[in-house]
Amino acid sequence: MNLSQREHIANVVARIENRNAARVVNPQEEAVQASWLRCVSEHGLDPARLQDARILPAHQLLEHRQQLDELRFVAQHGLQTLYQQIAPAGYILLLADAQGVAVDYLGDANAEVSLRRAGLFLGSQWSEALSGTCAVGTALATGNAITVHQTDHFDATHIPLTCSAVPLFDSQGVMQAVLDISALTSPQPRSSQHLVMQLALGQARRIENAWLLHRHRQDWILKLSRTYAWADVHPEYLLAFDVSGQLVGMNQPARQLFSGRDDLLGSPLSALFRTSIDQLPSWLNASEVHQLEDIRGEQRFFARTQPPAAPRIRSAEVKTAPALAALSGGDTQLDRQLQRATRLLNTPLNVLVQGETGSGKEYFARAFHQASSRRKGPFIAINCAAIPATLIESELFGYLPGSFSGAGNRARSGLIQAAHGGTLFLDEIGDMPLEMQTRLLRVLAEQEVLPIGARQAQKVDLRVISASHHALTERVAQGAFREDLLYRLQGATITLPPLRARQDINGLIDQMLNGKALISDAARQTLCCYSWPGNLRELHHALQYAQAMCEQGMIQRADLPDALQLPQSVAPLSLSGEAEALRRQLNAVGWNQSEAARQLGISRMTLYRRMGKFGIKRKDA
């Protein structure tokens, strides 16, 4: 404990003991003092006890991230835009959920060690109950934006930090998350953070508005402004009304506009303004902004309306993209994954493909690329386990002449640059060396690549699909894979089922033979009963072998490879095989049992019964 920490602890204790006599100068100091009191009286924290940063393990963080998936998707562009504004000044950006857990993080990869130690990192916990007075925790406790600057923090561990946080509310006024801008060091005066807070407030409001428009796209949206010039460009108030004219949501400024009323939700449009829901369609074709008065005639606004979007097609009716549909011969589990993939085709999300070796991960990636809007761009596939560690940096990032021994006298573009405008497929990403993971993280975060020996980064536009037969959450726990990289890659996860669990093996056999040979019923039955540890790759090789061995174009059971020559009465996929398949599925989703049940198309209770049947527990994984 250093001198400044001891002095801070003494100051906190003195302020708490003499709270009645303490002179509060402004609302900021009042909020900080109230938080210090809560830390002691409600949370039982001791200012003399220093707390290390608390960062959740990967599997727990995944659950927090999944619960906020929709907001994170909508907020992605806003977070990137804000980070580009603050990064040159050394700030990082966190998005924390309602429990104070950082579920998104944008920061300098070169300062990772210091940021992780300070808790300014993905998975960090910043509730008042755990960390004392802090921007995220105090914003959650009060519902108000706040800057907690240096010695405003309760815990002396955090006094070098400056943090400005703004709560994010949904359209019903429920706090869902907190947007936080923080820095490891800053100038001493708290006023130095005024501009940072204004940037955070502005972007938080834009994210809330985007979220409201996304959540209420099936409703009428009334956009109001007090000035004519801003009615189209940047409306202040957003209100959502269902088709019957009842208020179903609004943004924070609109909520403040009607702050004297507690019964707003469910109110008809005609109870708030001098109009009705039946009049809104007539405003759509108006060449000028419409003028609108509140019901009391006290306030006048300039208004625009946005009609409900066309009804969404239900998930069961979504037609899988043809290029993806061709991967399945009618397997229910795979069809469900391909249908999800179709929804993801033209989103900005990176995709992680999980599946056993030989289960068709690269086939999926190529089909996904072909079905997407990037189909005219290049598809670059890289096997991260096949490139020697000594070459992987130059292969991926390229280099300038003479930048290292053997570089040659010509610059060479890397494979990442070659994927510009298209799709980069990183196979066996779990085997990428850690030092390369750091450089890849920068590519994903900044959308730029720095060749070896270069000083100027080059912008790249690409979509990343990665694949691994490893459970990457386990690789993170082993220290072999970067946690922050995992969450950059895992914008969405597609899990390909093993061949032994698929219902369409007959169709796959016919597809692979492609009319080049016939197959007897006995041989087909043998193929259908085999457990296929090598999955599709092994089936393909087995059929190629059988075609070479067979006579007169008819594959008999005796023509199959020796490994398949099992007694007809023996079912190779025993209960132990089913148990292993279930373990792999659980590993693939980081033992998130809700997600495993969803991907398997079963209820959680069915999953629990199967786990009990096979004696599967977490320690067995």
Side-chain angles (χ1 to χ4, degrees):
M1 186 183 300
N2 58 39
L3 177 61
S4 60
Q5 289 175 328
R6 286 196 294 269
E7 290 176 347
H8 176 71
I9 291 168
N11 180 48
V12 172
V13 172
R15 290 289 295 271
I16 292 173
E17 290 178 347
N18 300 287
R19 56 184 177 271
N20 294 328
R23 186 170 62 92
V24 177
V25 177
N26 54 47
Q28 167 75 24
E29 289 191 8
E30 183 178 4
V32 169
Q33 181 169 312
S35 175
W36 284 4
L37 293 174
R38 285 195 301 273
C39 291
V40 174
S41 60
E42 297 180 20
H43 307 314
L45 299 180
D46 182 354
R49 184 178 179 182
L50 305 185
Q51 301 282 346
D52 291 332
R54 299 166 183 256
I55 296 181
L56 290 180
H59 68 278
Q60 292 183 21
L61 175 57
L62 180 61
E63 294 181 4
H64 283 266
R65 286 170 63 90
Q66 287 177 335
Q67 291 170 8
L68 218 60
D69 268 350
E70 188 175 7
L71 174 57
R72 289 174 50 233
F73 173 75
V74 171
Q76 188 176 56
H77 175 72
L79 297 179
Q80 290 282 357
T81 301
L82 179 57
Y83 179 64
Q84 289 171 6
Q85 294 173 323
I86 63 175
Y91 289 93
I92 67 99
L93 187 63
L94 296 175
L95 180 69
D97 66 9
Q99 289 75 50
V101 175
V103 294
D104 260 320
Y105 155 85
L106 292 170
D108 183 0
N110 296 322
E112 177 188 316
V113 174
S114 298
L115 291 169
R116 180 185 282 271
R117 187 183 299 120
L120 303 181
F121 204 71
L122 190 67
S124 55
Q125 297 177 281
W126 284 105
S127 66
E128 268 194 355
L130 292 175
S131 302
T133 303
C134 56
V136 170
T138 305
L140 286 170
T142 63
N144 298 319
I146 189 169
T147 294
V148 176
H149 183 69
Q150 297 181 352
T151 54
D152 291 339
H153 288 90
F154 179 84
D155 193 316
T157 308
H158 306 141
I159 58 176
L161 309 179
T162 184
C163 311
S164 297
V166 182
L168 295 175
F169 295 88
D170 66 14
S171 60
Q172 278 71 51
V174 179
M175 194 188 329
Q176 299 291 321
V178 173
L179 180 65
D180 174 82
I181 299 176
S182 294
L184 291 170
T185 60
S186 74
Q188 183 66 31
R190 186 188 292 118
S191 59
S192 65
Q193 303 308 303
H194 177 75
L195 180 58
V196 169
M197 173 57 81
Q198 296 310 307
L199 289 172
L201 284 167
Q203 199 61 270
R205 297 293 83 87
R206 283 187 282 273
I207 290 173
E208 286 180 342
N209 288 349
W211 195 20
L212 181 147
L213 294 173
H214 172 76
R215 295 292 299 273
H216 292 282
R217 55 195 180 276
Q218 306 302 315
D219 299 313
W220 280 95
I221 305 295
L222 192 60
K223 303 177 179 182
L224 306 177
S225 179
R226 292 189 182 275
T227 58
Y228 176 86
W230 288 91
D232 278 325
V233 179
H234 187 60
E236 301 164 66
Y237 311 106
L238 299 181
L239 299 99
F241 295 89
D242 64 18
V243 291
S244 67
Q246 290 189 322
L247 181 66
V248 291
M250 55 188 161
N251 65 358
Q252 280 297 98
R255 189 167 288 105
Q256 294 162 5
L257 182 67
F258 296 101
S259 58
R261 297 184 54 177
D262 297 325
D263 57 345
L264 285 178
L265 290 178
S267 300
L269 175 59
S270 56
L272 303 175
F273 301 99
R274 292 183 174 180
T275 189
S276 68
I277 194 71
D278 296 330
Q279 290 182 287
L280 296 190
S282 65
W283 295 5
L284 295 175
N285 298 321
S287 58
E288 295 187 1
V289 177
H290 195 85
Q291 293 190 51
L292 181 66
E293 288 186 342
D294 71 349
I295 193 64
R296 298 172 183 171
E298 297 173 351
Q299 301 185 79
R300 177 172 294 181
F301 304 93
F302 296 94
R304 283 292 195 190
T305 59
Q306 177 177 307
R312 287 187 64 185
I313 301 174
R314 290 178 299 178
S315 178
E317 298 172 354
V318 172
K319 186 176 181 180
T320 303
L324 291 169
L327 300 177
S328 172
D331 178 70
T332 304
Q333 184 180 350
L334 179 58
D335 287 345
R336 188 179 300 113
Q337 294 292 316
L338 298 177
Q339 194 175 79
R340 290 179 59 221
T342 298
R343 288 188 175 277
L344 297 167
L345 282 173
N346 298 315
T347 70
L349 296 173
N350 293 323
V351 177
L352 174 64
V353 188
Q354 296 268 208
E356 295 179 9
T357 298
S359 58
K361 297 186 288 293
E362 183 169 347
Y363 283 107
F364 169 84
R366 289 184 181 276
F368 189 94
H369 168 77
Q370 189 58 38
S372 76
S373 57
R374 291 179 173 268
R375 67 179 68 89
K376 294 182 180 179
F379 177 86
I380 303 297
I382 303 170
N383 189 321
C384 300
I387 303 176
T390 54
L391 297 178
I392 191 168
E393 184 175 21
S394 59
E395 288 290 318
L396 288 180
F397 300 98
Y399 54 83
L400 295 188
S403 54
F404 59 90
S405 178
N409 57 7
R410 288 188 177 183
R412 178 177 173 181
S413 297
L415 293 171
I416 292 176
Q417 293 159 290
H420 179 72
T423 301
L424 178 67
F425 175 56
L426 299 173
D427 199 8
E428 300 303 349
I429 185 69
D431 294 311
M432 177 177 279
L434 276 170
E435 60 271 20
M436 290 303 99
Q437 293 177 28
T438 301
R439 294 203 61 185
L440 177 60
L441 180 65
R442 181 179 180 86
V443 173
L444 298 180
E446 307 292 341
Q447 287 287 292
E448 61 184 28
V449 61
L450 185 68
I452 300 172
R455 296 184 178 180
Q456 183 67 40
Q458 301 174 16
K459 284 291 183 182
V460 287
D461 170 28
L462 48 81
R463 176 100 175 259
V464 175
I465 303 176
S466 53
S468 178
H469 71 279
H470 294 294
L472 292 183
T473 51
E474 291 185 3
R475 298 285 285 172
V476 169
Q478 296 162 2
F481 202 81
R482 291 180 59 108
E483 190 173 35
D484 47 358
L485 176 59
L486 171 60
Y487 293 113
R488 285 285 183 187
L489 297 170
Q490 195 175 249
T493 301
I494 298 295
T495 302
L496 301 181
L499 180 55
R500 62 182 170 275
R502 290 177 59 165
Q503 306 162 338
D504 59 346
I505 187 169
N506 270 312
L508 291 172
I509 292 169
D510 295 333
Q511 183 180 345
M512 289 181 181
L513 288 175
N514 195 25
K516 296 176 182 177
L518 299 176
I519 184 168
S520 68
D521 290 344
R524 187 181 292 272
Q525 183 180 2
T526 299
L527 292 173
C528 290
C529 290
Y530 185 60
S531 59
W532 298 110
N535 291 293
L536 295 173
R537 187 179 297 124
E538 186 181 12
L539 173 61
H540 180 68
H541 291 161
L543 290 173
Q544 283 188 318
Y545 175 87
Q547 287 179 63
M549 292 295 106
C550 73
E551 296 179 358
Q552 298 179 344
M554 172 62 76
I555 297 174
Q556 303 292 343
R557 185 167 179 270
D559 299 321
L560 299 175
D562 293 343
L564 276 66
Q565 302 295 336
L566 299 174
Q568 293 284 351
S569 60
V570 176
L573 185 56
S574 61
L575 291 182
S576 62
E578 290 186 47
E580 185 60 29
L582 185 54
R583 284 194 186 95
R584 287 196 183 98
Q585 182 70 28
L586 288 163
N587 283 331
V589 296
W591 281 78
N592 182 329
Q593 295 172 13
S594 297
E595 176 65 12
R598 189 181 66 77
Q599 293 189 9
L600 289 169
I602 60 178
S603 69
R604 279 187 295 175
M605 290 307 300
T606 301
L607 177 67
Y608 299 152
R609 284 195 293 271
R610 289 187 185 178
M611 291 174 65
K613 172 183 176 182
F614 299 129
I616 294 177
K617 298 178 182 177
R618 180 64 188 270
K619 65 182 181 181
D620 295 328

